[in-house]
Amino acid sequence: MSNLKSVALTLLLYISILHLPFVESIWFLNYHIHVTNDLPLVNSPPGKPNLFLRCKSKNKDIGDRAMVKGQDYTWDTKINALQTTLFFCNARWEGRKRRSFDAFVANRDDRRCLEYHNSCMWSVREDGIYFSRNNATWFNEYPW
């Protein structure tokens, strides 16, 4: 029985050591969150904001943004020690729709946002809010 405990403890220690470099590295990474206004200009002249965003976490309010078509709203974050970092946004398409979405969730985005320069890419479109891990393939994660 003590031999089994010894093997189990050794195995656990080995797995912990293998996992440690990844855990340590995510604490030092800067993640870049991008939200781009890709909404069509409907009854809105060019240069006039048609998307209004408010993004924040439990501890940090990024603030309100009135965005024109094509504008990018960007901020950086790091993952906290408990890996509970969360940023959410409230999006309002003027005169049309509203939607809340999670722009960064540590345990969801820690790996999927590494592919494209540590960036989480969001695109607000006519039929919803899209995510891309590589700025090439987009998925509608939050339909209006």
Side-chain angles (χ1 to χ4, degrees):
M1 184 70 164
S2 70
N3 192 24
L4 183 59
K5 279 185 181 178
S6 176
V7 170
L9 285 174
T10 303
L11 185 59
L12 185 61
L13 180 63
Y14 181 71
I15 291 170
S16 297
I17 289 170
L18 287 178
H19 184 68
L20 188 60
F22 177 74
V23 171
E24 284 182 354
S25 67
I26 64 171
W27 289 338
F28 298 109
L29 281 178
N30 237 2
Y31 288 88
H32 316 290
I33 297 97
H34 298 265
V35 182
T36 303
N37 179 358
D38 289 318
L39 290 168
L41 294 173
V42 179
N43 300 329
S44 187
K48 182 181 179 212
N50 66 340
L51 176 64
F52 299 88
L53 276 180
R54 174 147 198 160
C55 299
K56 60 184 183 174
S57 71
K58 178 181 176 185
N59 302 318
K60 185 174 184 181
D61 190 340
I62 306 297
D64 294 319
R65 289 285 196 288
M67 299 174 63
V68 298
K69 181 171 178 58
Q71 189 173 6
D72 184 49
Y73 178 20
T74 305
W75 71 94
D76 291 347
T77 190
K78 292 182 191 289
I79 294 177
N80 64 23
L82 298 175
Q83 297 183 353
T84 59
T85 304
L86 166 69
F87 277 90
F88 61 94
C89 299
N90 293 310
R92 181 173 56 87
W93 181 8
E94 183 165 8
R96 299 202 173 257
K97 302 180 182 203
R98 293 174 185 260
R99 182 71 159 105
S100 294
F101 68 100
D102 293 335
F104 187 83
V105 180
N107 63 8
R108 178 191 70 189
D109 297 325
D110 59 350
R111 293 177 194 232
R112 79 175 184 163
C113 293
L114 291 177
E115 187 173 325
Y116 187 74
H117 312 290
N118 305 335
S119 295
C120 293
M121 310 294 294
W122 295 95
S123 171
V124 181
R125 301 179 183 184
E126 188 171 19
D127 60 340
I129 301 168
Y130 285 71
F131 173 80
S132 177
R133 68 177 64 219
N134 58 15
N135 204 23
T137 306
W138 295 86
F139 302 96
N140 189 346
E141 288 202 6
Y142 295 94
W144 291 105

